[in-house]
Amino acid sequence: MRRAIGWVMMIFVATNLAYFLSWAYLDPKSNYVGRRPPLSNDQIEAMLEPRNLSDSVPLIERWWTWLTDILLHWNWGVSPVGDPVNDQIAYRMWVSAELVLGATIITTLLGIALGVYTASRQYKLADRIATGTSIITLNIPIVVAALGIVLLAIQFNDAVGTRVFYVTGSSSPGVTGFFPTLVDVAQHLILPTFALVLVGYAGIHFLQRSLLLDNINADYVRTARAKGLTKSQAIRRHALRTSLIPVTTQVAFSIPAIFTGAILTETIFGWNGMGRYFSETISTNDIHGAVAIAAFGALMTAIGAMLADVAVVILDPRVRVS
Amino acid sequence: MTTDMTSDQIAEQIADPELVDPMLHDDEDFRAPVGPTPKRTPRKRMSKFELYGRRFMRNKPAVGGAVIFVLIVLFAICGGWFAQYDYQELDFLAISDPPSAAHWFGTNDAGNDNYAQVVHGLQRSLLIALVVSIGTTVISAVIGASAAYFGGLYERIALLVIHFLMVVPTFLLLAMVSSDAGGDWIVIAIVLIAVNWFFPARTIWTLSLSLRERDYIAAARYIGISGPKIVLRHMLPNIGSLLIIQFTLGVVGAVQMETGLSFLGFGVKAPDVSLGSLIGTGASSITSSPWLFFFPAAALTLLTVSMALIADGLRDALDPTSAAGGRA
């Protein structure tokens, strides 16, 4: 409980800091510079003032209006063109979640599975090949990986003659019915998920492999073997369980990083998720939107940290007892 | 200064490598600044760097990575000598041309020579990455180790700042500040250092906590060596191997962050180019002129992968007890 309050405080401070920093670096007024016909200063003021984005109002006053709106009405403000931030986040959150959740689950499972497989065959051919591949995929920049996948998919589509994979957007308009929607979603989802998994799984793979190697020769694993378990049983039931604890912590803490990683993926694949919203808010000087994303990111970090605590409690009986 | 040197040497004599926990295995680093190692046995000893070199050479992928990295650096430095065009020069007779004898890597839709641009972008990305990685390593090492050594209020404040920075969405700040800077690479490098130092600082702090309790630190303290000096001369050399590995991995991380920012249009901006902004332009015309994507992407991938292979080899060479096979 005290932890939760601490996190709420952290999020509060981080969000407010983001607000002031956004005002220091973003200027909504500059959106109107160079308009044809040119707008007078008063006209710009008249547009920005009701949106609480005018810099003629003192910063403290703007901040107070913004803060009380959030605390009392859960209203995160509007963009310079009057678009409510709440609506944007509510929609885009799910678009991102669709991409990020699936990718995270696949990344984690694949990473752990490969880690266990290679650790139990250390320095054999399969281990060498898998670790060699992983060290390369881990260090392919996500931009290169995603664009490479786009190129391959386009060539594949050309070769087959129909559009099997879509390289832009999260869904096609006008698809109805359960199964057609399912197929449509899959066609859009496969490529970006593949890109995220490709660059992400290796980190978990290496971590799981090295942790399992630390445990695989421990006394309790030998005891388990002596009691008659096969090698794979002993690894799965005894060694793996101990070495899973740091891995889950790592996965939980990487949740915010996955969201930032999705910025590039979403931009390349044209998904209107949180990541793309992030780059849009900055390039359109949308202060309220940028701050909302900062708050969202802080919230994700807090959730990740708390999930890590929960996972440790589930996996580690020593923590549960004390 | 010279009087302090002698007291340092005494401290180092006390911290005899034989007495140090064998798991710590960097007694060699610890002795490094003293100069020539005193001959203790008549038989010829292998020098430290010879040993490291041999261990590194044993790791074939790491050697391959080192060769690729040297070639890339040579290409970044010397590639400009062979370029027939400047990276900003426009050739209006060759717009969106595929690779040819005149333009080795083709041209973009404005008539820029892609070869000259890739060379320049590679220089820019490498420079940013090196500056960021050096800065990050130095700052995180000093803050992490000194927080562990001095403890007390200083440690608590340092940890509070580190934990707070973990919550702050640093990528957002990074994008805003560097976008505002208008593409000046020095500003981008400074901001990247500012958002990158705290994670390694926490790792170094954790490691230094156990280092602080060692006998040679206590000995140095009793001799009367000042706190900052103990941190710099006695604690940091003992995690030297970790710092070197962190530096190489930091280069990979910095290159990836910089290219990501530039790709989105928040980093290096025209007329300056980096690999990220080149890939960004290549992405928009990826089907019609894929060479604009291929060449910078290949340079970038070779750079990051070779650096990671080097880091892996260095880990094996400097830290043979480590079981970690990758970034953990």
Side-chain angles (χ1 to χ4, degrees), chain A residues 7 21 25 139 141 143-144 147 154 214 263 267-268 278-279 282 294 298, chain B residues 167 169 172-173 175 180 252 263-264 266 287 293 300-301 304 308 323 327:
Chain A
W7 280 114
L21 275 169
Y25 287 106
N139 292 291
V143 185
V144 175
L147 286 170
I154 291 174
D214 289 344
I263 295 175
T267 310
I268 291 169
F278 166 90
S279 51
I282 291 181
Chain B
V167 182
L172 180 88
L173 302 183
D180 195 63
V252 180
F263 176 81
L264 290 173
F266 299 137
T287 40
F293 163 70
L300 181 60
T301 312
T304 52
R327 192 188 323 199

PDB file of all heavy atoms in Angstrom, chain A residues 7 21 25 139 141 143-144 147 154 214 263 267-268 278-279 282 294 298, chain B residues 167 169 172-173 175 180 252 263-264 266 287 293 300-301 304 308 323 327:
ATOM      1  N   TRP A   7       4.254   5.345  -5.716  1.00  0.00           N
ATOM      2  CA  TRP A   7       4.191   5.386  -7.184  1.00  0.00           C
ATOM      3  C   TRP A   7       3.272   6.497  -7.655  1.00  0.00           C
ATOM      4  O   TRP A   7       3.590   7.207  -8.617  1.00  0.00           O
ATOM      5  CB  TRP A   7       3.716   4.049  -7.743  1.00  0.00           C
ATOM      6  CG  TRP A   7       4.804   3.031  -7.811  1.00  0.00           C
ATOM      7  CD1 TRP A   7       4.896   1.877  -7.104  1.00  0.00           C
ATOM      8  CD2 TRP A   7       5.971   3.090  -8.632  1.00  0.00           C
ATOM      9  NE1 TRP A   7       6.042   1.209  -7.419  1.00  0.00           N
ATOM     10  CE2 TRP A   7       6.723   1.930  -8.352  1.00  0.00           C
ATOM     11  CE3 TRP A   7       6.460   4.020  -9.553  1.00  0.00           C
ATOM     12  CZ2 TRP A   7       7.933   1.668  -8.985  1.00  0.00           C
ATOM     13  CZ3 TRP A   7       7.661   3.751 -10.175  1.00  0.00           C
ATOM     14  CH2 TRP A   7       8.389   2.594  -9.895  1.00  0.00           C
ATOM     15  N   LEU A  21       8.077  21.192 -18.710  1.00  0.00           N
ATOM     16  CA  LEU A  21       9.084  20.993 -19.755  1.00  0.00           C
ATOM     17  C   LEU A  21       8.468  21.159 -21.137  1.00  0.00           C
ATOM     18  O   LEU A  21       9.079  21.733 -22.035  1.00  0.00           O
ATOM     19  CB  LEU A  21       9.714  19.612 -19.621  1.00  0.00           C
ATOM     20  CG  LEU A  21      10.862  19.546 -18.631  1.00  0.00           C
ATOM     21  CD1 LEU A  21      11.230  18.105 -18.359  1.00  0.00           C
ATOM     22  CD2 LEU A  21      12.061  20.293 -19.184  1.00  0.00           C
ATOM     23  N   TYR A  25       9.564  23.753 -24.247  1.00  0.00           N
ATOM     24  CA  TYR A  25      10.113  23.356 -25.552  1.00  0.00           C
ATOM     25  C   TYR A  25       9.108  23.361 -26.688  1.00  0.00           C
ATOM     26  O   TYR A  25       9.484  23.339 -27.848  1.00  0.00           O
ATOM     27  CB  TYR A  25      10.756  21.970 -25.444  1.00  0.00           C
ATOM     28  CG  TYR A  25      12.035  22.017 -24.690  1.00  0.00           C
ATOM     29  CD1 TYR A  25      12.119  21.521 -23.399  1.00  0.00           C
ATOM     30  CD2 TYR A  25      13.162  22.604 -25.247  1.00  0.00           C
ATOM     31  CE1 TYR A  25      13.302  21.589 -22.686  1.00  0.00           C
ATOM     32  CE2 TYR A  25      14.337  22.679 -24.551  1.00  0.00           C
ATOM     33  CZ  TYR A  25      14.403  22.175 -23.268  1.00  0.00           C
ATOM     34  OH  TYR A  25      15.577  22.254 -22.575  1.00  0.00           O
ATOM     35  N   ASN A 139      20.845  -6.928 -32.193  1.00  0.00           N
ATOM     36  CA  ASN A 139      21.485  -5.665 -32.510  1.00  0.00           C
ATOM     37  C   ASN A 139      21.095  -5.106 -33.871  1.00  0.00           C
ATOM     38  O   ASN A 139      21.671  -4.132 -34.312  1.00  0.00           O
ATOM     39  CB  ASN A 139      23.000  -5.829 -32.404  1.00  0.00           C
ATOM     40  CG  ASN A 139      23.405  -6.051 -30.976  1.00  0.00           C
ATOM     41  OD1 ASN A 139      23.309  -5.148 -30.170  1.00  0.00           O
ATOM     42  ND2 ASN A 139      23.787  -7.264 -30.646  1.00  0.00           N
ATOM     43  N   PRO A 141      18.946  -2.724 -35.687  1.00  0.00           N
ATOM     44  CA  PRO A 141      18.078  -1.630 -35.267  1.00  0.00           C
ATOM     45  C   PRO A 141      16.639  -1.909 -35.716  1.00  0.00           C
ATOM     46  O   PRO A 141      16.422  -2.427 -36.813  1.00  0.00           O
ATOM     47  CB  PRO A 141      18.660  -0.422 -35.986  1.00  0.00           C
ATOM     48  CG  PRO A 141      20.057  -0.801 -36.295  1.00  0.00           C
ATOM     49  CD  PRO A 141      20.052  -2.268 -36.515  1.00  0.00           C
ATOM     50  N   VAL A 143      14.379  -0.064 -36.782  1.00  0.00           N
ATOM     51  CA  VAL A 143      14.000   0.597 -38.034  1.00  0.00           C
ATOM     52  C   VAL A 143      14.365  -0.281 -39.224  1.00  0.00           C
ATOM     53  O   VAL A 143      13.559  -0.503 -40.133  1.00  0.00           O
ATOM     54  CB  VAL A 143      14.728   1.948 -38.149  1.00  0.00           C
ATOM     55  CG1 VAL A 143      14.265   2.691 -39.349  1.00  0.00           C
ATOM     56  CG2 VAL A 143      14.544   2.770 -36.914  1.00  0.00           C
ATOM     57  N   VAL A 144      15.587  -0.780 -39.179  1.00  0.00           N
ATOM     58  CA  VAL A 144      16.061  -1.613 -40.283  1.00  0.00           C
ATOM     59  C   VAL A 144      15.239  -2.895 -40.361  1.00  0.00           C
ATOM     60  O   VAL A 144      14.796  -3.314 -41.441  1.00  0.00           O
ATOM     61  CB  VAL A 144      17.556  -1.925 -40.104  1.00  0.00           C
ATOM     62  CG1 VAL A 144      18.039  -2.874 -41.171  1.00  0.00           C
ATOM     63  CG2 VAL A 144      18.368  -0.656 -40.122  1.00  0.00           C
ATOM     64  N   LEU A 147      11.619  -2.100 -41.679  1.00  0.00           N
ATOM     65  CA  LEU A 147      11.579  -1.759 -43.102  1.00  0.00           C
ATOM     66  C   LEU A 147      11.982  -2.944 -43.958  1.00  0.00           C
ATOM     67  O   LEU A 147      11.436  -3.142 -45.058  1.00  0.00           O
ATOM     68  CB  LEU A 147      12.489  -0.561 -43.378  1.00  0.00           C
ATOM     69  CG  LEU A 147      11.928   0.775 -42.893  1.00  0.00           C
ATOM     70  CD1 LEU A 147      12.973   1.859 -42.981  1.00  0.00           C
ATOM     71  CD2 LEU A 147      10.715   1.161 -43.715  1.00  0.00           C
ATOM     72  N   ILE A 154       6.246  -6.944 -49.284  1.00  0.00           N
ATOM     73  CA  ILE A 154       5.775  -6.436 -50.574  1.00  0.00           C
ATOM     74  C   ILE A 154       6.177  -7.380 -51.699  1.00  0.00           C
ATOM     75  O   ILE A 154       5.380  -7.696 -52.598  1.00  0.00           O
ATOM     76  CB  ILE A 154       6.338  -5.012 -50.812  1.00  0.00           C
ATOM     77  CG1 ILE A 154       5.700  -4.035 -49.832  1.00  0.00           C
ATOM     78  CG2 ILE A 154       6.097  -4.554 -52.235  1.00  0.00           C
ATOM     79  CD1 ILE A 154       6.283  -2.652 -49.874  1.00  0.00           C
ATOM     80  N   ASP A 214      23.727 -20.614 -14.456  1.00  0.00           N
ATOM     81  CA  ASP A 214      24.188 -20.457 -13.080  1.00  0.00           C
ATOM     82  C   ASP A 214      23.560 -21.497 -12.160  1.00  0.00           C
ATOM     83  O   ASP A 214      24.162 -21.916 -11.172  1.00  0.00           O
ATOM     84  CB  ASP A 214      23.827 -19.057 -12.559  1.00  0.00           C
ATOM     85  CG  ASP A 214      24.666 -17.986 -13.219  1.00  0.00           C
ATOM     86  OD1 ASP A 214      25.688 -18.347 -13.823  1.00  0.00           O
ATOM     87  OD2 ASP A 214      24.293 -16.802 -13.148  1.00  0.00           O
ATOM     88  N   ILE A 263       7.068   3.009 -30.823  1.00  0.00           N
ATOM     89  CA  ILE A 263       6.962   4.291 -31.525  1.00  0.00           C
ATOM     90  C   ILE A 263       7.413   4.123 -32.966  1.00  0.00           C
ATOM     91  O   ILE A 263       6.715   4.511 -33.913  1.00  0.00           O
ATOM     92  CB  ILE A 263       7.844   5.365 -30.853  1.00  0.00           C
ATOM     93  CG1 ILE A 263       7.339   5.668 -29.447  1.00  0.00           C
ATOM     94  CG2 ILE A 263       7.867   6.640 -31.674  1.00  0.00           C
ATOM     95  CD1 ILE A 263       8.228   6.625 -28.696  1.00  0.00           C
ATOM     96  N   THR A 267       5.113   3.893 -36.390  1.00  0.00           N
ATOM     97  CA  THR A 267       5.315   4.884 -37.445  1.00  0.00           C
ATOM     98  C   THR A 267       5.534   4.190 -38.790  1.00  0.00           C
ATOM     99  O   THR A 267       4.967   4.589 -39.806  1.00  0.00           O
ATOM    100  CB  THR A 267       6.523   5.764 -37.106  1.00  0.00           C
ATOM    101  OG1 THR A 267       6.375   6.229 -35.776  1.00  0.00           O
ATOM    102  CG2 THR A 267       6.617   6.936 -38.046  1.00  0.00           C
ATOM    103  N   ILE A 268       6.348   3.141 -38.775  1.00  0.00           N
ATOM    104  CA  ILE A 268       6.669   2.480 -40.037  1.00  0.00           C
ATOM    105  C   ILE A 268       5.448   1.756 -40.595  1.00  0.00           C
ATOM    106  O   ILE A 268       5.165   1.824 -41.797  1.00  0.00           O
ATOM    107  CB  ILE A 268       7.844   1.505 -39.830  1.00  0.00           C
ATOM    108  CG1 ILE A 268       9.120   2.307 -39.570  1.00  0.00           C
ATOM    109  CG2 ILE A 268       8.035   0.598 -41.044  1.00  0.00           C
ATOM    110  CD1 ILE A 268      10.260   1.490 -39.103  1.00  0.00           C
ATOM    111  N   PHE A 278       2.621   9.955 -29.978  1.00  0.00           N
ATOM    112  CA  PHE A 278       3.778  10.608 -29.370  1.00  0.00           C
ATOM    113  C   PHE A 278       4.493  11.503 -30.373  1.00  0.00           C
ATOM    114  O   PHE A 278       4.706  12.685 -30.128  1.00  0.00           O
ATOM    115  CB  PHE A 278       4.708   9.506 -28.839  1.00  0.00           C
ATOM    116  CG  PHE A 278       6.089   9.948 -28.482  1.00  0.00           C
ATOM    117  CD1 PHE A 278       6.368  10.386 -27.210  1.00  0.00           C
ATOM    118  CD2 PHE A 278       7.103   9.899 -29.417  1.00  0.00           C
ATOM    119  CE1 PHE A 278       7.648  10.776 -26.879  1.00  0.00           C
ATOM    120  CE2 PHE A 278       8.381  10.288 -29.084  1.00  0.00           C
ATOM    121  CZ  PHE A 278       8.653  10.735 -27.816  1.00  0.00           C
ATOM    122  N   SER A 279       4.843  10.948 -31.547  1.00  0.00           N
ATOM    123  CA  SER A 279       5.582  11.794 -32.485  1.00  0.00           C
ATOM    124  C   SER A 279       4.685  12.860 -33.093  1.00  0.00           C
ATOM    125  O   SER A 279       5.146  13.944 -33.410  1.00  0.00           O
ATOM    126  CB  SER A 279       6.261  10.951 -33.560  1.00  0.00           C
ATOM    127  OG  SER A 279       5.362  10.075 -34.141  1.00  0.00           O
ATOM    128  N   ILE A 282       4.391  15.888 -30.636  1.00  0.00           N
ATOM    129  CA  ILE A 282       5.564  16.759 -30.585  1.00  0.00           C
ATOM    130  C   ILE A 282       5.673  17.592 -31.852  1.00  0.00           C
ATOM    131  O   ILE A 282       5.938  18.786 -31.797  1.00  0.00           O
ATOM    132  CB  ILE A 282       6.827  15.927 -30.344  1.00  0.00           C
ATOM    133  CG1 ILE A 282       6.769  15.386 -28.926  1.00  0.00           C
ATOM    134  CG2 ILE A 282       8.068  16.764 -30.525  1.00  0.00           C
ATOM    135  CD1 ILE A 282       7.933  14.574 -28.545  1.00  0.00           C
ATOM    136  N   ALA A 294       3.269  11.325 -21.411  1.00  0.00           N
ATOM    137  CA  ALA A 294       4.248  11.205 -20.326  1.00  0.00           C
ATOM    138  C   ALA A 294       3.612  10.525 -19.122  1.00  0.00           C
ATOM    139  O   ALA A 294       4.205   9.625 -18.514  1.00  0.00           O
ATOM    140  CB  ALA A 294       4.774  12.589 -19.937  1.00  0.00           C
ATOM    141  N   ALA A 298       4.640   6.956 -17.407  1.00  0.00           N
ATOM    142  CA  ALA A 298       4.949   6.798 -15.986  1.00  0.00           C
ATOM    143  C   ALA A 298       4.053   5.734 -15.369  1.00  0.00           C
ATOM    144  O   ALA A 298       4.499   4.903 -14.576  1.00  0.00           O
ATOM    145  CB  ALA A 298       4.775   8.134 -15.267  1.00  0.00           C
TER     146      ALA A 298
ATOM    147  N   VAL B 167      11.057   6.779 -13.899  1.00  0.00           N
ATOM    148  CA  VAL B 167       9.622   6.990 -14.124  1.00  0.00           C
ATOM    149  C   VAL B 167       9.382   8.008 -15.233  1.00  0.00           C
ATOM    150  O   VAL B 167       8.467   7.876 -16.032  1.00  0.00           O
ATOM    151  CB  VAL B 167       8.944   7.448 -12.812  1.00  0.00           C
ATOM    152  CG1 VAL B 167       7.461   7.630 -13.023  1.00  0.00           C
ATOM    153  CG2 VAL B 167       9.194   6.446 -11.715  1.00  0.00           C
ATOM    154  N   PRO B 169       9.246   9.712 -18.548  1.00  0.00           N
ATOM    155  CA  PRO B 169       9.383   9.191 -19.910  1.00  0.00           C
ATOM    156  C   PRO B 169      10.468   9.944 -20.649  1.00  0.00           C
ATOM    157  O   PRO B 169      10.230  10.956 -21.288  1.00  0.00           O
ATOM    158  CB  PRO B 169       8.015   9.433 -20.523  1.00  0.00           C
ATOM    159  CG  PRO B 169       7.316  10.359 -19.620  1.00  0.00           C
ATOM    160  CD  PRO B 169       8.029  10.471 -18.340  1.00  0.00           C
ATOM    161  N   LEU B 172      10.407  11.007 -24.392  1.00  0.00           N
ATOM    162  CA  LEU B 172       9.615  12.180 -24.719  1.00  0.00           C
ATOM    163  C   LEU B 172      10.434  13.454 -24.560  1.00  0.00           C
ATOM    164  O   LEU B 172      10.470  14.300 -25.462  1.00  0.00           O
ATOM    165  CB  LEU B 172       8.397  12.227 -23.790  1.00  0.00           C
ATOM    166  CG  LEU B 172       7.457  13.399 -23.984  1.00  0.00           C
ATOM    167  CD1 LEU B 172       6.419  13.065 -25.026  1.00  0.00           C
ATOM    168  CD2 LEU B 172       6.783  13.768 -22.695  1.00  0.00           C
ATOM    169  N   LEU B 173      11.120  13.554 -23.408  1.00  0.00           N
ATOM    170  CA  LEU B 173      11.949  14.732 -23.173  1.00  0.00           C
ATOM    171  C   LEU B 173      13.029  14.834 -24.238  1.00  0.00           C
ATOM    172  O   LEU B 173      13.276  15.890 -24.809  1.00  0.00           O
ATOM    173  CB  LEU B 173      12.606  14.634 -21.793  1.00  0.00           C
ATOM    174  CG  LEU B 173      11.641  14.504 -20.629  1.00  0.00           C
ATOM    175  CD1 LEU B 173      12.393  14.478 -19.326  1.00  0.00           C
ATOM    176  CD2 LEU B 173      10.668  15.652 -20.649  1.00  0.00           C
ATOM    177  N   ALA B 175      13.016  13.687 -27.250  1.00  0.00           N
ATOM    178  CA  ALA B 175      12.474  14.106 -28.535  1.00  0.00           C
ATOM    179  C   ALA B 175      12.170  15.593 -28.535  1.00  0.00           C
ATOM    180  O   ALA B 175      12.478  16.295 -29.499  1.00  0.00           O
ATOM    181  CB  ALA B 175      11.213  13.299 -28.850  1.00  0.00           C
ATOM    182  N   ASP B 180      13.720  20.688 -30.538  1.00  0.00           N
ATOM    183  CA  ASP B 180      13.825  22.124 -30.344  1.00  0.00           C
ATOM    184  C   ASP B 180      15.210  22.634 -30.716  1.00  0.00           C
ATOM    185  O   ASP B 180      15.371  23.772 -31.140  1.00  0.00           O
ATOM    186  CB  ASP B 180      13.520  22.445 -28.875  1.00  0.00           C
ATOM    187  CG  ASP B 180      13.249  23.910 -28.667  1.00  0.00           C
ATOM    188  OD1 ASP B 180      12.272  24.399 -29.245  1.00  0.00           O
ATOM    189  OD2 ASP B 180      14.022  24.567 -27.949  1.00  0.00           O
ATOM    190  N   VAL B 252      26.305   0.825 -29.005  1.00  0.00           N
ATOM    191  CA  VAL B 252      25.177   0.237 -29.728  1.00  0.00           C
ATOM    192  C   VAL B 252      23.886   0.948 -29.358  1.00  0.00           C
ATOM    193  O   VAL B 252      23.101   1.369 -30.216  1.00  0.00           O
ATOM    194  CB  VAL B 252      25.064  -1.273 -29.406  1.00  0.00           C
ATOM    195  CG1 VAL B 252      23.908  -1.877 -30.154  1.00  0.00           C
ATOM    196  CG2 VAL B 252      26.336  -1.993 -29.740  1.00  0.00           C
ATOM    197  N   PHE B 263      15.264   9.226 -37.404  1.00  0.00           N
ATOM    198  CA  PHE B 263      14.279   8.614 -38.304  1.00  0.00           C
ATOM    199  C   PHE B 263      12.930   9.295 -38.141  1.00  0.00           C
ATOM    200  O   PHE B 263      12.240   9.593 -39.122  1.00  0.00           O
ATOM    201  CB  PHE B 263      14.154   7.124 -37.997  1.00  0.00           C
ATOM    202  CG  PHE B 263      13.099   6.426 -38.793  1.00  0.00           C
ATOM    203  CD1 PHE B 263      13.345   6.024 -40.085  1.00  0.00           C
ATOM    204  CD2 PHE B 263      11.851   6.194 -38.251  1.00  0.00           C
ATOM    205  CE1 PHE B 263      12.370   5.397 -40.828  1.00  0.00           C
ATOM    206  CE2 PHE B 263      10.870   5.569 -38.982  1.00  0.00           C
ATOM    207  CZ  PHE B 263      11.121   5.164 -40.267  1.00  0.00           C
ATOM    208  N   LEU B 264      12.544   9.573 -36.885  1.00  0.00           N
ATOM    209  CA  LEU B 264      11.259  10.225 -36.640  1.00  0.00           C
ATOM    210  C   LEU B 264      11.289  11.703 -37.022  1.00  0.00           C
ATOM    211  O   LEU B 264      10.248  12.343 -37.098  1.00  0.00           O
ATOM    212  CB  LEU B 264      10.882  10.098 -35.164  1.00  0.00           C
ATOM    213  CG  LEU B 264      10.514   8.706 -34.688  1.00  0.00           C
ATOM    214  CD1 LEU B 264      10.342   8.706 -33.188  1.00  0.00           C
ATOM    215  CD2 LEU B 264       9.232   8.249 -35.347  1.00  0.00           C
ATOM    216  N   PHE B 266      13.224  13.964 -35.261  1.00  0.00           N
ATOM    217  CA  PHE B 266      13.484  14.789 -34.095  1.00  0.00           C
ATOM    218  C   PHE B 266      14.976  14.950 -33.836  1.00  0.00           C
ATOM    219  O   PHE B 266      15.368  15.689 -32.951  1.00  0.00           O
ATOM    220  CB  PHE B 266      12.839  14.190 -32.842  1.00  0.00           C
ATOM    221  CG  PHE B 266      11.362  14.078 -32.939  1.00  0.00           C
ATOM    222  CD1 PHE B 266      10.704  12.948 -32.504  1.00  0.00           C
ATOM    223  CD2 PHE B 266      10.619  15.109 -33.484  1.00  0.00           C
ATOM    224  CE1 PHE B 266       9.334  12.847 -32.599  1.00  0.00           C
ATOM    225  CE2 PHE B 266       9.248  15.015 -33.575  1.00  0.00           C
ATOM    226  CZ  PHE B 266       8.603  13.878 -33.137  1.00  0.00           C
ATOM    227  N   THR B 287       9.836   1.286 -52.118  1.00  0.00           N
ATOM    228  CA  THR B 287       9.580   0.409 -53.263  1.00  0.00           C
ATOM    229  C   THR B 287      10.179   0.962 -54.541  1.00  0.00           C
ATOM    230  O   THR B 287      10.680   0.211 -55.367  1.00  0.00           O
ATOM    231  CB  THR B 287       8.071   0.191 -53.463  1.00  0.00           C
ATOM    232  OG1 THR B 287       7.412   1.420 -53.229  1.00  0.00           O
ATOM    233  CG2 THR B 287       7.536  -0.868 -52.532  1.00  0.00           C
ATOM    234  N   PHE B 293      17.444   3.070 -49.029  1.00  0.00           N
ATOM    235  CA  PHE B 293      17.294   2.406 -47.745  1.00  0.00           C
ATOM    236  C   PHE B 293      18.435   1.427 -47.498  1.00  0.00           C
ATOM    237  O   PHE B 293      19.006   1.391 -46.419  1.00  0.00           O
ATOM    238  CB  PHE B 293      15.940   1.697 -47.692  1.00  0.00           C
ATOM    239  CG  PHE B 293      15.830   0.655 -46.613  1.00  0.00           C
ATOM    240  CD1 PHE B 293      15.779   1.020 -45.289  1.00  0.00           C
ATOM    241  CD2 PHE B 293      15.784  -0.696 -46.933  1.00  0.00           C
ATOM    242  CE1 PHE B 293      15.686   0.078 -44.289  1.00  0.00           C
ATOM    243  CE2 PHE B 293      15.696  -1.649 -45.940  1.00  0.00           C
ATOM    244  CZ  PHE B 293      15.646  -1.264 -44.618  1.00  0.00           C
ATOM    245  N   LEU B 300      24.417   0.822 -40.876  1.00  0.00           N
ATOM    246  CA  LEU B 300      23.948   0.874 -39.490  1.00  0.00           C
ATOM    247  C   LEU B 300      23.974  -0.510 -38.852  1.00  0.00           C
ATOM    248  O   LEU B 300      24.478  -0.689 -37.735  1.00  0.00           O
ATOM    249  CB  LEU B 300      22.530   1.445 -39.478  1.00  0.00           C
ATOM    250  CG  LEU B 300      21.861   1.601 -38.130  1.00  0.00           C
ATOM    251  CD1 LEU B 300      22.662   2.532 -37.264  1.00  0.00           C
ATOM    252  CD2 LEU B 300      20.455   2.139 -38.301  1.00  0.00           C
ATOM    253  N   THR B 301      23.455  -1.500 -39.571  1.00  0.00           N
ATOM    254  CA  THR B 301      23.393  -2.843 -39.005  1.00  0.00           C
ATOM    255  C   THR B 301      24.792  -3.400 -38.773  1.00  0.00           C
ATOM    256  O   THR B 301      25.074  -3.986 -37.734  1.00  0.00           O
ATOM    257  CB  THR B 301      22.609  -3.769 -39.936  1.00  0.00           C
ATOM    258  OG1 THR B 301      21.401  -3.102 -40.309  1.00  0.00           O
ATOM    259  CG2 THR B 301      22.259  -5.063 -39.262  1.00  0.00           C
ATOM    260  N   THR B 304      26.198  -1.739 -35.555  1.00  0.00           N
ATOM    261  CA  THR B 304      25.692  -2.213 -34.265  1.00  0.00           C
ATOM    262  C   THR B 304      26.079  -3.665 -34.015  1.00  0.00           C
ATOM    263  O   THR B 304      26.518  -4.006 -32.927  1.00  0.00           O
ATOM    264  CB  THR B 304      24.167  -2.067 -34.185  1.00  0.00           C
ATOM    265  OG1 THR B 304      23.584  -2.671 -35.324  1.00  0.00           O
ATOM    266  CG2 THR B 304      23.746  -0.627 -34.116  1.00  0.00           C
ATOM    267  N   ALA B 308      28.481  -5.136 -31.007  1.00  0.00           N
ATOM    268  CA  ALA B 308      27.978  -6.103 -30.033  1.00  0.00           C
ATOM    269  C   ALA B 308      28.884  -7.325 -29.973  1.00  0.00           C
ATOM    270  O   ALA B 308      29.147  -7.858 -28.889  1.00  0.00           O
ATOM    271  CB  ALA B 308      26.558  -6.507 -30.390  1.00  0.00           C
ATOM    272  N   ALA B 323      29.240 -15.686 -16.570  1.00  0.00           N
ATOM    273  CA  ALA B 323      28.494 -16.676 -17.337  1.00  0.00           C
ATOM    274  C   ALA B 323      27.589 -16.005 -18.344  1.00  0.00           C
ATOM    275  O   ALA B 323      27.012 -16.656 -19.196  1.00  0.00           O
ATOM    276  CB  ALA B 323      27.665 -17.544 -16.396  1.00  0.00           C
ATOM    277  N   ARG B 327      23.734  -9.300 -23.218  1.00  0.00           N
ATOM    278  CA  ARG B 327      23.381  -8.129 -22.422  1.00  0.00           C
ATOM    279  C   ARG B 327      22.396  -8.554 -21.348  1.00  0.00           C
ATOM    280  O   ARG B 327      21.318  -9.039 -21.669  1.00  0.00           O
ATOM    281  CB  ARG B 327      22.762  -7.090 -23.335  1.00  0.00           C
ATOM    282  CG  ARG B 327      22.620  -5.751 -22.679  1.00  0.00           C
ATOM    283  CD  ARG B 327      21.840  -4.831 -23.553  1.00  0.00           C
ATOM    284  NE  ARG B 327      22.147  -5.025 -24.968  1.00  0.00           N
ATOM    285  CZ  ARG B 327      21.878  -4.114 -25.890  1.00  0.00           C
ATOM    286  NH1 ARG B 327      21.326  -2.997 -25.549  1.00  0.00           N
ATOM    287  NH2 ARG B 327      22.143  -4.358 -27.150  1.00  0.00           N
TER     288      ARG B 327
END
